[in-house]
C-alpha cells in the first residue's frame, strides 16, 4: 500500500515489534550521533530513519541557530544593515542553487552505488562532484569580488544599504568555494549514510561562525570592528574550516566513504552523469531560490523597515524549516540506497514514514509561530514597522507548515532517486507561474501591500507540496536510471 495510509499501516506493523527493540531508542540515538555502520537497506524502517534523521536534524538545527544568531547581531546595526544581509542573501541564492544542484547529482550517484555495495564507485562519484564544485565556484568567486557592490544594487537593496554593504557582498560571493564544497562533500557523506560526519562538519563550521560573528561585527576584545562586513568574514572563515575538516575526513577514511589516490583523477563519464542529474537539480533549485530576487524587489518597494521585517521573519522560518529538511535528507538517502539494493517498495514506505514524522514535527512548530509571531520578531527589533511586517509574514507563512512537511520530504525523495526533473517542473509551476505574479498582483493592484507577498509565498509552497505528493504516488521515480 502506498501513500500516507501506507505509512500509517507500516507504523502499526512496526509498533508490534518486541518491547526490547523499542527500549533501545536512546542507544540508537547515541549510535546515530557516533556514526553507525549498519546496513540501512536491511534495518527496519524506523531504525534506519532514526539513524539517519537524528544527525541530519541536528545538523540542520545548528544551521538554524546560525541563521538566527547572524540576523540577531546584524539587526543591532539597524534596518540598513539587515537590508544588506537580505539583499546579499538573494544574490547568494544563485550560489546555493548551484551548490544544491551539484549536491543533488552527487548524492543520487553516491547513494545508489552505496546501496549496490560499490564503495569505489561511490568514492569516484564524490571526487567528481568536488572537482565540479571547485570549477564552478572559481568563476562565481571572481565575479563576486569584482562586481559585488554593483550586484548588491541590482538585487534591489536601498541606496543607503548599498553604501555600507559592498564589502559584505564581495566577501560572501568571493567565498563561494566554501559553500559549494561544504554542500557537495556533505551530500556525499549523507549518500553513504555517514550523516554523523556531515553533522559534525556543520556544527564545527557554524559554531566558529556563531562565536566569531559578534566579535568581528562589534570589535569585541582583540578583533577589529568590521560592522556588517564582519558577519560575512565570520561566515566565510567558519565554512572554510568546515571544508578543511571534510577533506581530512575523506583522506583518512574515518567514515564510510574512503577516498584513495586512485580516485583522484578526472572521470569525464561520471562528471557527465553528475552534470546531467545536476542540470535539472540546479534548475529546480534555481527556480525556487531565484524567485526570492523578484520577491525582494517587490517587498523593497515598501521601504527598508518592511524589508528588514521580512528578512527577520524568514530567518525565523528557516530556523523552523531547516531541521525538517533533515528528515527530507534522510528520505533521499534511503530512497537512493534502497533503489540501488533493488528494494523500490521499501524506498516508498520510507518516504511516507519520514513525511508522517515531519508532519507531526513541523505542524507543532507552525502552531507556535502562528500564535507568537509578533513576540518572536520583537526579540530582534523594537521598531513598530519592522515588528508589524515581520509578524505578519511569519504568521502567514507558518500557517502552511502542515503542507510543507510532506512537500519537502517528497521533493528530496525525488532527488534521491535521481528524478530531478519532476521537482523542477513543480517549482516552475509553483514559484514562477504562481508565486511571483501573485505577489505583484496581490501587493499592488489588489491593494494588500506586503501582506500580498506573504500570502503568495504561503500558497506557492502549499501548491508545491500538493503537486509533489500527487506525482510521487504515481511511482515513475522508481524506474529512473542513475
Amino acid at each position: 500500500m502506498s501513500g500516507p495510509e501506507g505509512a500509517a499501516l507500516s507504523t502499526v506493523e512496526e509498533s508490534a515489534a518486541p518491547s526490547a527493540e523499542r527500549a533501545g531508542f536512546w542507544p540508537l540515538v547515541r549510535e546515530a550521533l557516533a556514526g553507525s555502520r549498519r546496513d540501512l537497506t536491511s534495518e527496519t524502517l524506523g531504525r534506519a530513519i532514526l539513524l539517519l534523521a537524528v544527525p541530519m536534524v541536528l545538523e540542520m538545527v545548528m544551521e538554524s541557530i546560525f541563521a538566527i544568531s547572524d540576523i540577531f547581531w546584524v539587526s543591532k546595526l539597524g534596518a540598513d544593515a539587515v537590508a544588506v544581509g537580505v539583499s546579499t542573501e538573494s544574490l547568494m541564492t544563485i550560489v546555493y542553487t548551484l551548490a544544491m544542484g551539484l549536491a543533488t547529482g552527487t548524492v543520487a550517484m553516491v547513494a545508489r552505488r552505496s546501496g549496490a555495495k560499490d564503495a569505489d564507485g561511490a568514492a569516484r562519484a564524490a571526487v567528481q562532484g568536488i572537482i565540479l564544485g571547485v570549477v564552478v565556484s572559481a568563476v562565481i568567486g571572481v565575479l563576486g569580488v569584482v562586481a559585488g557592490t554593483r550586484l548588491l544594487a541590482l538585487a534591489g537593496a536601498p541606496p543607503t544599504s548599498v553604501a555600507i554593504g559592498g564589502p559584505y557582498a564581495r566577501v560572501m560571493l568571493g567565498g563561494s568555494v566554501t559553500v559549494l564544497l561544504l554542500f557537495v562533500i556533505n551530500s556525499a557523506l549523507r549518500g553513504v549514510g555517514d550523516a554523523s560526519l556531515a553533522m559534525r562538519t556543520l556544527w564545527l563550521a557554524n559554531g566558529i561562525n556563531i562565536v566569531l560573528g559578534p566579535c568581528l561585527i562589534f570589535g569585541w576584545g582583540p578583533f577589529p570592528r568590521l560592522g556588517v562586513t564582519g558577519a560575512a568574514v565570520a561566515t566565510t572563515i567558519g565554512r572554510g574550516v568546515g571544508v578543511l575538516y571534510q577533506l581530512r575526513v575523506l583522506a583518512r577514511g574515518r567514515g564510510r566513504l574512503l577516498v584513495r589516490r586512485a580516485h583522484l583523477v578526472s572521470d569525464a563519464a561520471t562528471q557527465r552523469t553528475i552534470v546531467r542529474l545536476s542540470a535539472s537539480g540546479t534548475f529546480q533549485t534555481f527556480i525556487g531560490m531565484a524567485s526570492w530576487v523578484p520577491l525582494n524587489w517587490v517587498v523593497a518597494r515598501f521601504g527598508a523597515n518592511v524589508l528588514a521585517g521580512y528578512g527577520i521573519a524568514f530567518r525565523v522560518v528557516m530556523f523552523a524549516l531547516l531541521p525538517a529538511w533533515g528528515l527530507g535528507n534522510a528520505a533521499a538517502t534511503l530512497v537512493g540506497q534502497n533503489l540501488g539494493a533493488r528494494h523500490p517498495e521499501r524506498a516508498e514506505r520510507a518516504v511516507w514514514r519520514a513525511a508522517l514524522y515531519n508532519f507531526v514535527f513541523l505542524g507543532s512548530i507552525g502552531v507556535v509561530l502562528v500564535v507568537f509571531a509578533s513576540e518572536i520578531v520583537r526579540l530582534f527589533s523594537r521598531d513598530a514597522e519592522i515588528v508589524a511586517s515581520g509578524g505578519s509574514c511569519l504568521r502567514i507563512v507558518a500557517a502552511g507548515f502542515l503542507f510543507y512537511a510532506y512537500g519537502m520530504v517528497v521533493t528530496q525523495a525525488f532527488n534521491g532517486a535521481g528524478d530531478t526533473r519532476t521537482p523542477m517542473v513543480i517549482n516552475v509551476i509553483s514559484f514562477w507561474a504562481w508565486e511571483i505574479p501573485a505577489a505583484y498582483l496581490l501587493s499592488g493592484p489588489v491593494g494588500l501591500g506586503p501582506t500580498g507577498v506573504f500570502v503568495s509565498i504561503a500558497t506557492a509552497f502549499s501548491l508545491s507540496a500538493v503537486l509533489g505528493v500527487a506525482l510521487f504516488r504515481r511511482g515513475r521515480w522508481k524506474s529512473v536510471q542513475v
Side-chain angles (χ1 to χ4, degrees):
M1 182 181 296
S2 63
E5 66 272 21
L9 177 58
S10 182
T11 301
V12 171
E13 289 172 348
E14 289 198 17
S15 68
S19 59
E21 293 187 5
R22 294 199 300 270
F25 174 79
W26 289 112
L28 274 177
V29 169
R30 289 193 292 271
E31 181 182 338
L33 295 176
S36 176
R37 296 281 182 168
R38 298 184 188 227
D39 182 355
L40 300 175
T41 63
S42 60
E43 280 292 337
T44 61
L45 282 180
R47 286 182 175 183
I49 292 173
L50 180 67
L51 289 170
L52 285 172
V54 167
M56 287 183 179
V57 168
L58 290 178
E59 174 187 348
M60 294 296 103
V61 165
M62 174 54 91
E63 190 73 8
S64 297
I65 293 172
F66 153 65
I68 289 294
S69 172
D70 194 49
I71 197 68
F72 176 82
W73 294 117
V74 170
S75 68
K76 304 304 179 185
L77 301 176
D80 282 325
V82 175
V84 167
V86 173
S87 298
T88 303
E89 200 70 13
S90 70
L91 292 173
M92 288 297 294
T93 58
I94 307 301
V95 179
Y96 298 141
T97 292
L98 293 169
M100 292 174 71
L102 276 175
T104 297
T106 302
V107 73
M109 287 198 71
V110 171
R112 190 71 68 96
R113 280 148 185 74
S114 178
K117 307 300 185 288
D118 180 6
D120 282 336
R124 282 195 298 272
V127 169
Q128 303 316 306
I130 293 171
I131 291 173
L132 291 170
V134 170
V135 172
V136 171
S137 61
V139 176
I140 298 173
V142 171
L143 179 62
V145 170
V146 172
T149 303
R150 187 174 179 183
L151 291 172
L152 185 62
L154 290 175
T160 52
S161 298
V162 174
I164 65 171
Y168 179 96
R170 288 197 297 272
V171 171
M172 290 295 290
L173 292 168
S176 296
V177 65
T178 62
V179 177
L180 273 96
L181 293 188
L182 204 63
F183 272 70
V184 170
I185 298 174
N186 262 9
S187 74
L189 293 173
R190 296 188 197 103
V192 296
D194 224 335
S196 65
L197 282 175
M199 175 195 71
R200 290 173 207 163
T201 297
L202 273 190
W203 275 69
L204 173 64
N206 288 337
I208 291 173
N209 193 353
I210 290 169
V211 172
L212 197 56
C215 295
L216 291 173
I217 291 171
F218 303 111
W220 290 353
F223 296 95
R225 181 184 175 89
L226 301 179
V228 68
T229 304
V233 173
T235 297
T236 302
I237 290 174
R239 287 171 175 165
V241 173
V243 170
L244 292 176
Y245 172 73
Q246 289 174 321
L247 295 175
R248 182 182 180 188
V249 165
L250 293 182
R252 295 195 172 188
R254 291 182 174 178
R256 294 175 181 242
L257 187 63
L258 172 60
V259 174
R260 300 186 177 90
R261 288 188 178 182
H263 302 136
L264 301 179
V265 294
S266 181
D267 183 342
T270 302
Q271 288 178 11
R272 282 195 297 270
T273 303
I274 293 177
V275 169
R276 174 176 60 82
L277 294 172
S278 299
S280 295
T282 299
F283 191 60
Q284 166 202 148
T285 309
F286 173 79
I287 290 299
M289 298 189 73
S291 65
W292 298 115
V293 176
L295 289 178
N296 198 69
W297 292 336
V298 176
V299 176
R301 294 184 306 166
F302 299 97
N305 283 347
V306 173
L307 183 61
Y310 165 76
I312 290 171
F314 257 85
R315 288 299 180 99
V316 176
V317 167
M318 293 310 297
F319 178 82
L321 291 183
L322 282 174
W325 273 111
L327 278 163
N329 288 334
T333 296
L334 287 172
V335 166
Q337 289 198 5
N338 279 289
L339 289 179
R342 302 185 184 276
H343 302 319
E345 299 307 318
R346 174 182 164 86
E348 183 174 6
R349 290 198 308 274
V351 172
W352 294 125
R353 176 68 68 84
L356 184 62
Y357 294 163
N358 214 25
F359 180 84
V360 175
F361 170 73
L362 203 53
S364 302
I365 294 177
V367 171
V368 174
L369 296 185
V370 168
V371 174
F372 299 104
S374 296
E375 288 76 6
I376 292 171
V377 175
R378 198 171 285 113
L379 295 174
F380 300 88
S381 175
R382 294 289 179 178
D383 185 283
E385 190 176 9
I386 291 177
V387 172
S389 170
S392 175
C393 179
L394 185 56
R395 190 175 298 109
I396 291 170
V397 174
F401 273 17
L402 291 176
F403 284 95
Y404 314 162
Y406 269 86
M408 62 179 58
V409 170
V410 169
T411 295
Q412 292 298 84
F414 279 123
N415 290 330
D419 181 7
T420 54
R421 184 177 180 277
T422 296
M424 177 191 70
V425 173
I426 292 172
N427 283 356
V428 169
I429 295 171
S430 302
F431 300 117
W432 287 85
W434 169 255
E435 182 182 56
I436 295 174
Y440 174 77
L441 292 172
L442 293 175
S443 66
V446 175
L448 295 180
T451 300
V453 180
F454 310 151
V455 170
S456 74
I457 294 168
T459 54
F461 274 99
S462 300
L463 175 61
S464 173
V466 171
L467 291 174
V469 169
L471 292 174
F472 186 81
R473 290 174 67 103
R474 296 174 67 178
R476 292 184 180 177
W477 53 273
K478 296 177 185 177
S479 58
V480 173
Q481 298 299 313
V482 175

